[in-house]
Every structure is written in structure tokens, then in C-alpha cells.
Amino acid sequence: MAEKKVYEKTLGVMPDVISGFCPGCMHGTVHKLVGEVVQELGMLDKLVRVEGVGCCGLGQQFVSHDVIIAAHGRACAVATGVKRCSPESLVYTYQGDGDLASIGLDETVSAANRGENFTVIFINNGIYGMTGGQMAPTTLIGMKATTAPFGRKVEEHGYPMHVCELLSQLKTPQFLVRTAVDTPQNVIKTRKYIKQAFQNQIDGKGFSLVEVVTSCPTNWGYTAKEALTFLREKMFEEFPLGVYRDKDKEEA
Amino acid sequence: MAERVFMKGCEAIAEAGVRAGCRFFAGYPITPQNEIPEYFARRMPEVGGVFVQGESEVASVNMLYGAAATGTPAMSSSSSCGISLYSEGVSYCASARLPVVYVNVQRGGPGIGAIQPAQQDYLQATKASGNGGFRMIVLAPATVQECVDMVYEAFELAQRDNNPVLVLTDGVIGTMMEPVVLPPMKTDEDIKAMKAKFADKACTGHEPCKQHFCFPGSVGTGQEIANKEAEKMYATWDKDVRVEKYLTDDAEIIFAAYGISARISRAVVKQLRAEGIKAGMIRPITVSPFPYEAFSSLDFNQVKGILDVEMSIPAQMRWDIDHAVQGRCPINECRRSGGQLLTNEQVLEGARQLIKEVL
Amino acid sequence: MERNIMMAGFGGQGVMTMGKLLAEATCDATDLKVSFFPSYGAAMRGGTANCFVVISDDEIGAPVCYNVEDLIVMNGPSLHAFLKNVKPGGNLFINSTIVTDPIDRDDVNVISAPVTQMALDMGNDRALNVIMLGVYVGYTDAVPEEVIIKGIEHKFENKPKLIPPNVDAFKKGIEIGRAQKK
């Protein structure tokens, strides 16, 4: 019987390297999607990843394209330098919530407001993963963290920060979307969003950010399956999925 | 001879950068160096370069890091408390071995200090401009012409070593105007050649699995290997030590000063010589690597005392002078601080006190 | 020979322009060393403004000097603040339209010119600095007068209409400076 190829691994990740992400973590899926869409766009040889600090740093040995490691929080500033000097490159930052929304909030907001023509992939799992479960700006009320052992309290820590909503107050950004990869349908949707975010860059449309709400079973203290439930019941409630800005649609 | 033009220190620094091939500048407003970013903002569009006003010093230096990672000749500038915020990015550039040039137009410190000129960042500049113990060549101009020449040269040194180079000046030299002769403009071909030299490291996109990394650190034992390589590079800097010895051959009194303090000291040396006093000056031009030899090789039977002249309290270059002199002659200090300028009169007074004590 | 000049007045009186014009013209038209150093008060307009020009045939040390050969004061507060900084035997140039207080020293040469009034009379109230520069050059011959005229032409390259009135203003100043020469 003749074999029929139904799936081929993207060339955007190394052929023989295992990602190193924890079981139940969704970073791997997002990496795959980035590789796939950029391969479809025929731009893998132009792709430059500006990598944040945290679990996203585990991706550096896993992807097959150029990687610039940024200091914690500075990915959007570094990407500004890269894209301005090398406009023919396809540049994206890959950052977690601590990196993008806490230490790097200034760099993120300012790059978005200048309309820098690169793509931001933002992984929001509500916790610091790499450093061991400390509270993030996106940690939910009541959720325990190693630096909030009694749970996040409004009176002490304030409410979780909503990055897409925050950035949608700016006039400049081209595309802001919050999505997830917890089901096949959501993976397909996210794939479409990531592709649009890169296409926007190719078309010179400016700042595009794809926020992916993901789970962190390890630091949430759940099994992978429990984490999925928490993601759907609690995280999506706090962080509603949807398109927060799409200038193409607004203009049309 | 090329025509001399009358330029402000900061503007001359910026023009020298452009002529040296700088095609990316990012910076954040801070007095007294605002004329540098302002000049680049006007000038970069004329040469096809990029100017970005960063949202902070932290962002600016990280933009510089990104620009340099593409192989683009890149530069930035700030002043004192702003330079403190450069520590992160400069350390990353040193670790990733990126050639960047930056300028510190020093003002009073510590803290927000004063917007007026000072020389209070010497130890930070020469010993620890960021975490991790990396080293840099630090050039200290004393005239606007030297600002121009040193910024131009800084690009060559940075590209030679793939390492940051700092030009350490101050608010007097940055603000004053003097005649300068500008160096030739690097052509587009020259700049292409600079980028080509970095092409095997540049992160601009490559075929899958033939990727480049810009890696300001390492895993496992890699960092130690990188640090040893960097140390080997630092060891080649003996040849880069530069120092001016002014009337030191028969000198009994030696002034030690860099930058603006050296200008003033020179005038006082002349005045003392006119009175028959054997005064001279050692002026470090590279403050890192420091010209220890110039001090350690002095004939201490002849030299009776050293006057360290700095616009810093406590004195900072004093550490390096002490290291070289090892107590073989008395060292006095003549200092101002916090934005207060040294004057000829004060340096002269400091010299007379030393002379009274040792001659 | 080194010559230290300090110029002081209100922001807006063109003190910086006066210093820069002298220094830049010296750079362009001579082989002398020259430096210009500006020092503003807290406000750009209405505050104090002073600058230092050093002209020398040898390398220049400090570009800021508080022991000067020449002091130009365009307003009263500057007179009181800086009179002590003139070397004995040095020259004090005053804008006599508004500097009317007595001079508390008898070891300096006082050269006065009502430059604010003259500028108003000429219908060119901003020219007071150029007139004063004329007075200075006419009295001291620190640089040849043609050097400054070239500088004025260079400064107003893009506004050629302003060249003749400013050259006139400068020449009026020269006459006053010459007339007070001993």
C-alpha cells in the first residue's frame, strides 16, 4: 500500500530537538504554529526571534531560525533596533507575562504606540514559570503564588492586568488579539491570527500582538487535565478571548 | 588642510559618529547631552540612517543591542544617572560581543546630582559599567577636536574587538564650542564592508537550521569559555594605552588629570613653568586601559609630588594613580564636585599647597 | 597672548549670539585658538545668560574664567554679579541705556554705549548685541573688524535682507568703541 503523508513537522523548529517544556505546557504548540505559518509565508529564512526571559527562553534550542536573546522585558526595544536596521527581516518577539507585562511594560506599550512593524507573541499563563511560580501581573485574584502564598489580594496586589485591553487604548496598534490553543478549534483560530500578525508585518502595517492564554500545570500545582479545566473556567473568564483591534476590519 | 568649523562638543560628537558610519542612534533626553540626539534626529534622514527616541535609557540601550545584532554600526549617548540605566544593555552587548559605541557626557552625581558638568563616573566607566566584570576601552577627550577623533576611532575599536567602547566626556566639553577639523565621511561601500565583517554573526534571518544566535550568556560551561576569550582580548589592549606626558622629563611636580581637568592643569603647568617651577602633567587619554606605566616608571628621586586634579569628590582616578605609584611619593588632590567647575585659580592654589609641602 | 571675555545680560538680549559671533568669526577667519562656553540661568527667556569666549595663540585651558580681561554687561544685575571678575587694568563694557549704577572700581577702563537706545533708534531693537560687539572690537581690536562683518554675512546667509542693517549696527558700534580708545 502506498504511503500517504498526512503530516509534516514544520522546518521552523529543529528536526531532532525535544522542546524541554513541561507536560501540559502550551509553549510547544505556539512554537509549532509560528514555524508553520512563517513556512507557509515562505519567510523562514528571514525570520528573527527576539526572545524574552523566562520559560520562553527554553525555545532558543528548539527553533531553527535566528535568535536574539533580550534582557528581561526588553524584547520590544531590541526588536525595534533589529527591525529598523533590517526591515527585510521578519521579526517577532516571544515573551511571557512577567517579561512583557511587568518588567517590560514600558517597552511593550511604547513599541505598540510607535507602531513598530514587528509581531509580538505573548504567552499569558498568569504566573512566573522559569523562576518558580511567583506572582505575575496577570495572576488571578485568590490564586496562590510563591510570592503571594495566601493568594492574590485586590487590596494588596490590585487586579490582574489585561494587556490587550490596555493596548487597545492606543490608536496606533494594527492588530491585538487574545486567543488560546486548548482545543483543535482554538489551535486553528490561533494559527490564523498568528499568520495575520506576520502578514501585517510583511505588508508594513505595524504593531501586531497575539496573546495566547495558556496553562502552567507545574506552577499552578495541577495535573495537565486539571490545569485545562482551570484555564477554561477561570483564566478565560478573567481574560476573554477575542479580537481587540483589527484595523483592517475597522477600515472595511 | 581641511577647513576648520566651529562646533559645539555634543554636535561634533554626533557628526563624528555619522562620519564614522553610525547608521543607528537611540537615546533619551537628559541634560547636558541633548544636542547629540537632536543632531542625529536631523542628520540621520540625510544619510539613510535610523534615529529613535527611546522611551527610556533602558529601552534605548536595548535598541542599540538589537541594532548591533544586525551588524549595523550603532551608537548612543547619555549622561551620568542616565548612564546608570545603560548598565544592563552594555553588559549584554559585552557578553554577546556586539560592537557598540556610547558616550557619557558627565554631570554631577551621585543620584540625579546636578545638570552641570562633573567627572563623577570615572570608576563606573573604567571598572564596572555593568554586571559581570567585562571591560571596555574608555576614551577621554579633552577638546572638541578630540571628541571628534575619538568617536571616529571608537567605531574602529568596537568593530575590531566586537566589544562596547565608551567615550567619557563631560558637560563642559559637550557644551563648549571650539574649532574642529572633521574626519572624512565613510562611504556606503565602507559601511557595507563593516556590515560584511559582522555577517557571520548578524541576526537578520538565515536558512532553517543554519541560524545565528545573539547570545549574551551561555549554558553549562559555555560562559566561562566566553569569559576566557574576552580576557584574552582585554590582554591585547596594552598596545591601545594612550597617554600624554606634558613637560614631565625634568618635572618635580606632576599633575594627573584627564578630560576637562587636564585642560585646566595644562594652563597651570605653563604658569608655574613661567615662574621657574618644574611642573609637568600626565594625562590619561585612555582611562581604560589606564596608563599605569606612565606613573610607575617616574623617577621618584626627581618627582617630589603628584597633584590629582578631578571634578569628583571623593577623587576616583586617584585609585589608579595609587595603584601605579605605590606610595613612592606624596599625592595631593585638587577637586570640585556636584557640578562645580574647577578654575585655573583653584588648581593653581592646589599646586602651590603641594609645592609648599614637598619642594 | 590669551584673552578671556565674559558677556552677561538678560536672556533674550542676544548675549549668546554676540559671543558665538565673535568666536565663530575668529575660528573662520584666523588661525587663533578660540572657545565659546554658554551658561544659562534657570530660564531661557528673561533669566540670566552669560557666556565666555577665550581667544589665544596657544592652547586654551579652561573655557570658563572668572578673572577676565574683558567684561561686557548688558544689564544691571550682571554688573553687580561680575564686576569683581575683571582683572585690574581690564575693560568693562556697559550698556548705558539700562546700566546706570555707579561703577565701584577705578582700576578698570569703562567703555559705555547706550546700545538698547541706539538699537531702538535704528528701528532694529534686536541689534543691541551687534552694536555692542562693534563697540568691543572697535575698542580692543581683539579681531579685525572685517572678520566680524564676514561672520554677520555668514550668520544671515539665508536672510540676506538682514545683512546691511546688522553690518550698519556693527559699524556704529565700532565708531563708539574707537572714539573711547585712549
Side-chain angles (χ1 to χ4, degrees), chain A residues 6 20 56 60 63 69 77 79 107-108 140 145 154 165 183 211 230:
Chain A
V6 293
C56 48
Q60 63 197 236
V63 299
I69 317 274
E107 285 76 7
T108 307
L140 302 185
V154 174
E165 289 86 336
T183 61
E211 171 177 348
F230 185 85

Side-chain angles (χ1 to χ4, degrees), chain B residues 27-40:
Chain B
Y28 185 79
I30 180 171
T31 306
Q33 60 83 56
N34 293 318
E35 289 89 347
I36 299 176
E38 286 166 5
Y39 191 93
F40 271 107

